[in-house]
Amino acid sequence: TIKKELGEYDDAEELTETYQEQLKDKSIPTKIKQKIRKELKRLGQMSPNNPESGYIRAWLETIFDLPWGDRDEQKIDLIKAEKILNSNHYGLSDVKDRILEYIAVLQLKKAKEKRKKKKKKKLTNSTNQESPTILCFVGPPGVGKTSIGRAIAKSLGRKFTKISLGGIRDEAQIRGHRRTYVGAMPGRIIKGIKQAESLNPVFILDEIDKVGKDFRGDPSAALLEVLDPEQNKNFEDHYLDFPFDLSEVIFITTANTLDTIPPALRDRLEIIRYPGYTFDEKFNIAKKHLMKKVLHSNGLDSSQINITDGALKKIIQRYTKEAGVRELERQLNKTCRKVAKKIVAHQTKQKTKTKAKQKKISVKKNLLKKYLGPEKYDLTLAEEEDQIGVATGLAWTRTGGDILFIEVGLTPGKGKIRLTGKLGEVMKESAQTALTFVKANAKKLKIDEDRFDKTDVHIHVPEGAVPKDGPSAGITMATAIASAFTNKSVKRELAMTGEITLRGRVLRIGGLKEKVIAAHLAGIKQIIIPEKNKRDLSEISADIKKQINFKPVNSALEVLGLTLNKRS
Ligand code: ADP
């Protein structure tokens, strides 16, 4: 009666009634419906001014916003899937093959499940759903990981959604906060589902290698639950406070590197590598795909602008330095924006005079400076002279392969070694090993052994701000050190990669494909590789193999024989 007197009763009643109505329409599982009804009952007995009522209403809104019962099903058609993958992406044939296999398996599993369900229906209702493996796309930025994810969604006829995990340190960002928190919200997984507007989307978890952890809990433990087919049928989001079924979602993760993914998580993932693009691939991607996109987003069409092949090549070589094509896309956008401005300015002028047709604007190689400013990168190493104490190595980084130079300087001293250039522990040890190897082989190299005690060795790897690590620069360091002590210059055009042992054996290294692509972009013609890496050459395109001469070696002495020039 008091409530009625205060006029609160009607409001609350009305509110719960509308919610009850909404609840009827939604295909929410019965158990969850029961929970919602309970909350509705509480809401009905509450004054709307009670802050608790606000929380409950926000919770209900969130739940009603979820895509209950919305699924996108489509018969899987491999030929169509292949067409979709090919129509949006140039190259990447290994990746596409692997994805088609994945789609085929998905189809077989689905068919098997259906048969099982039919059989089981008579006995029980429970289904032992077999979920697909979780794919993990590993590669530098801008190589098409996300856009392949989108193409997979399209070819399966499912919705697509993506969340970034970069920098997440708090478990609550995955699982949400309990409702009693002020400003509580569901976690990112549930938000992703809401965004997808479907219960079975293709869901990209971006940058899984950048998940951190601290005192607020370990997000990777929550992620494990999300990705585990055994557990994700009953995913617990703290905010929702009831188990949510994620088992129909196709999760795909992406990462730049595998090193920082917690091992338990990595175990679950099926790795697909994106090694980065060669010059020719970039050129073709730009011509066949990026140009279309860039023209469209700048309101232009191909009758208004033409970027010549020469200009395009120059943009790739002199204005970008990357494994992917993101920067390239940006530079093309920039060019098109400038052209768009020119066209509009011309049209405005023309309006006052006659209506002459705008001529097609041709962006030529020698005009690029006008559009993009001065060149950003130098092309080749060939322009540089062979020097004493500088050797060319190949590195693997999160952003793809790269070439690096190792410099050695000798100063009178007491046989100490100094290392600079932000080198990691492994790389430092590798430098020590290389020095010991040179010392041990002094006679063969015709170095006066007494010199070592009277000389300090300083090894520097330029671009000091970039952290570098790994053992694969071993033979490069040995070459630079031997060159400095023997006064023989090093062939600059010859790049090398390989771990060195104290006895001078050359060991296998990782990331060869990425390194070779970077070397190719830099115009290197010869690469020394460990004999044991010879089998990896099968992954490298025939085109590159035609242009680069690979020299497999077993020992560091062989390396020195190949790299050092005769004393001039
Ligand atoms: P990532 O997720 O690996 O960082 P994206 O998928 O965002 O990279 O790709 C960046 C851009 O490059 C997108 O516009 C994408 O469509 C384009 N792209 C990348 N690889 C290819 C390719 N092989 N063919 C066509 N376009 C590509």
Side-chain angles (χ1 to χ4, degrees):
T1 315
I2 294 170
K3 272 186 178 173
K4 236 180 194 168
E5 286 290 306
L6 289 169
E8 283 177 2
Y9 190 75
D10 293 345
D11 289 355
E13 187 120 289
E14 228 170 77
L15 198 67
T16 44
E17 255 166 35
T18 42
Y19 283 133
Q20 291 281 11
E21 278 305 306
Q22 281 190 44
L23 193 58
K24 262 188 220 153
D25 298 342
K26 307 253 173 209
S27 48
I28 298 177
T30 326
K31 268 197 181 152
I32 301 174
K33 268 192 176 165
Q34 281 167 1
K35 189 171 171 86
I36 295 174
R37 289 216 178 87
K38 225 159 110 191
E39 294 291 322
L40 277 176
K41 205 167 154 196
R42 275 182 63 207
L43 189 67
Q45 293 163 348
M46 236 175 240
S47 147
N49 300 329
N50 185 339
E52 178 83 18
S53 131
Y55 296 156
I56 296 178
R57 277 191 321 222
W59 181 76
L60 286 166
E61 299 286 345
T62 307
I63 292 172
F64 287 150
D65 271 353
L66 290 174
W68 298 106
D70 292 338
R71 289 179 181 81
D72 298 282
E73 283 301 357
Q74 187 176 309
K75 211 168 168 325
I76 297 172
D77 177 348
L78 268 191
I79 295 170
K80 201 181 122 210
E82 189 171 4
K83 253 192 207 148
I84 292 175
L85 283 173
N86 282 332
S87 71
N88 294 325
H89 298 93
Y90 178 87
L92 293 176
S93 54
D94 293 352
V95 171
K96 286 177 190 164
D97 272 353
R98 189 60 201 80
I99 283 165
L100 289 175
E101 284 166 25
Y102 172 83
I103 291 177
V105 171
L106 209 66
Q107 183 175 10
L108 288 184
K109 276 189 174 169
K110 226 163 121 185
K112 198 171 155 195
E113 228 166 72
K114 256 190 198 158
R115 268 180 273 136
K116 246 191 200 166
K117 248 189 201 170
K118 262 190 197 159
K119 261 192 211 163
K120 273 196 175 171
K121 227 174 197 172
K122 289 173 202 156
L123 305 170
T124 55
N125 254 342
S126 78
T127 53
N128 183 13
Q129 208 174 14
E130 276 184 67
S131 294
T133 33
I134 312 288
L135 297 179
C136 180
F137 295 166
V138 183
V143 289
K145 301 187 291 297
T146 313
S147 89
I148 284 275
R150 259 180 225 282
I152 294 177
K154 201 168 159 200
S155 48
L156 294 176
R158 298 196 186 204
K159 298 260 170 49
F160 173 86
T161 187
K162 174 181 164 186
I163 62 166
S164 177
L165 300 174
I168 285 192
R169 304 187 152 273
D170 185 355
E171 195 189 357
Q173 289 187 305
I174 305 281
R175 270 190 209 283
H177 287 288
R178 295 206 180 279
R179 225 186 326 156
T180 42
Y181 262 83
V182 177
M185 277 190 298
R188 292 196 194 188
I189 302 290
I190 294 298
K191 273 192 208 156
I193 295 287
K194 187 179 145 198
Q195 221 174 29
E197 297 178 346
S198 163
L199 291 179
N200 65 350
V202 170
F203 196 139
I204 288 214
L205 300 169
D206 207 14
E207 305 197 308
I208 196 165
D209 53 333
K210 300 201 181 62
V211 174
K213 67 171 166 190
D214 65 9
F215 60 93
R216 285 168 295 190
D218 182 357
S220 60
L223 275 178
L224 260 177
E225 192 184 319
V226 172
L227 296 176
D228 185 353
E230 303 276 310
Q231 296 181 55
N232 69 8
K233 207 168 170 37
N234 295 311
F235 172 67
E236 287 277 353
D237 182 282
H238 292 324
Y239 183 77
L240 293 188
D241 202 19
F242 53 76
F244 190 87
D245 185 0
L246 292 174
S247 64
E248 292 172 76
V249 178
I250 294 187
F251 285 106
I252 296 176
T253 56
T254 80
N256 293 144
T257 166
L258 286 177
D259 304 343
T260 48
I261 304 179
L265 206 54
R266 197 171 138 181
D267 258 7
R268 293 271 142 79
L269 306 174
E270 170 94 27
I271 309 296
I272 297 186
R273 285 185 189 274
Y274 289 65
Y277 297 120
T278 62
F279 174 76
D280 289 333
E281 283 172 329
K282 286 183 186 176
F283 181 75
N284 278 302
I285 291 172
K287 268 197 101 81
K288 299 197 169 104
H289 299 281
L290 297 182
M291 270 322 285
K292 234 184 280 165
K293 231 192 282 178
V294 168
L295 288 183
H296 179 74
S297 65
N298 286 290
L300 294 168
D301 65 51
S302 52
S303 68
Q304 292 168 304
I305 171 176
N306 171 41
I307 298 184
T308 63
D309 285 358
L312 187 53
K313 282 180 185 164
K314 197 167 172 186
I315 295 177
I316 296 171
Q317 286 175 327
R318 300 287 178 136
Y319 289 90
T320 68
K321 185 169 184 276
E322 56 178 351
V325 291
R326 206 170 270 174
E327 185 63 30
L328 177 58
E329 194 174 349
R330 223 170 276 148
Q331 296 296 344
L332 290 175
N333 253 317
K334 194 169 164 187
T335 313
C336 285
R337 274 202 310 272
K338 298 251 153 91
V339 170
K341 185 177 159 210
K342 220 166 151 183
I343 289 175
V344 173
H346 184 77
Q347 281 172 349
T348 327
K349 236 193 248 163
Q350 288 295 324
K351 250 181 209 161
T352 50
K353 296 179 194 167
T354 53
K355 270 200 175 168
K357 209 168 172 258
Q358 166 74 40
K359 252 189 6 201
K360 189 168 179 169
I361 292 182
S362 184
V363 178
K364 293 199 186 106
K365 195 167 135 184
N366 51 359
L367 294 177
L368 277 181
K369 221 181 222 166
K370 219 172 76 191
Y371 290 101
L372 297 175
E375 290 165 12
K376 288 189 183 156
Y377 303 102
D378 294 330
L379 179 56
T380 56
L381 302 156
E383 295 158 12
E384 315 245 356
E385 284 175 11
D386 292 351
Q387 287 183 27
I388 293 172
V390 183
T392 312
L394 296 173
W396 180 90
T397 66
R398 277 165 185 261
T399 52
D402 206 352
I403 55 169
L404 59 89
F405 299 103
I406 296 199
E407 297 179 345
V408 171
L410 304 181
T411 47
K414 291 187 179 142
K416 279 193 205 132
I417 180 166
R418 254 183 88 195
L419 300 155
T420 54
K422 228 174 175 189
L423 312 186
E425 278 311 309
V426 180
M427 201 160 177
K428 282 184 186 163
E429 286 172 9
S430 165
Q432 310 251 15
T433 313
L435 179 59
T436 310
F437 161 77
V438 173
K439 281 182 186 170
N441 287 279
K443 257 204 197 113
K444 277 186 202 148
L445 298 169
K446 301 205 176 79
I447 304 168
D448 178 6
E449 283 177 57
D450 294 341
R451 274 185 72 198
F452 293 116
D453 292 336
K454 294 182 227 149
T455 316
D456 282 349
V457 180
H458 184 165
I459 300 179
H460 178 66
V461 188
E463 288 194 67
V466 184
K468 308 162 193 87
D469 204 3
S472 71
I475 59 172
T476 322
M477 299 213 190
T479 303
I481 296 169
S483 158
F485 274 106
T486 56
N487 254 338
K488 290 177 180 172
S489 59
V490 184
K491 290 178 189 145
R492 193 78 188 241
E493 265 185 74
L494 206 159
M496 60 204 102
T497 176
E499 180 173 351
I500 191 173
T501 69
L502 279 179
R503 313 248 169 253
R505 283 202 315 124
V506 178
L507 303 185
R508 190 181 151 80
I509 47 90
L512 186 72
K513 196 168 177 188
E514 287 85 350
K515 288 175 180 173
V516 169
I517 288 173
H520 180 248
L521 286 176
I524 281 170
K525 300 279 180 278
Q526 289 192 64
I527 302 180
I528 296 179
I529 58 167
E531 180 81 33
K532 292 263 161 59
N533 278 98
K534 227 168 123 182
R535 56 173 179 247
D536 300 332
L537 290 178
S538 64
E539 287 179 16
I540 288 162
S541 73
D543 195 33
I544 292 190
K545 275 192 268 194
K546 239 186 267 161
Q547 295 173 43
I548 294 182
N549 182 8
F550 290 94
K551 293 194 181 292
V553 294
N554 268 316
S555 82
L557 281 173
E558 263 177 86
V559 175
L560 298 182
L562 289 168
T563 52
L564 297 184
N565 287 312
K566 295 237 157 57
R567 211 163 307 179
S568 50

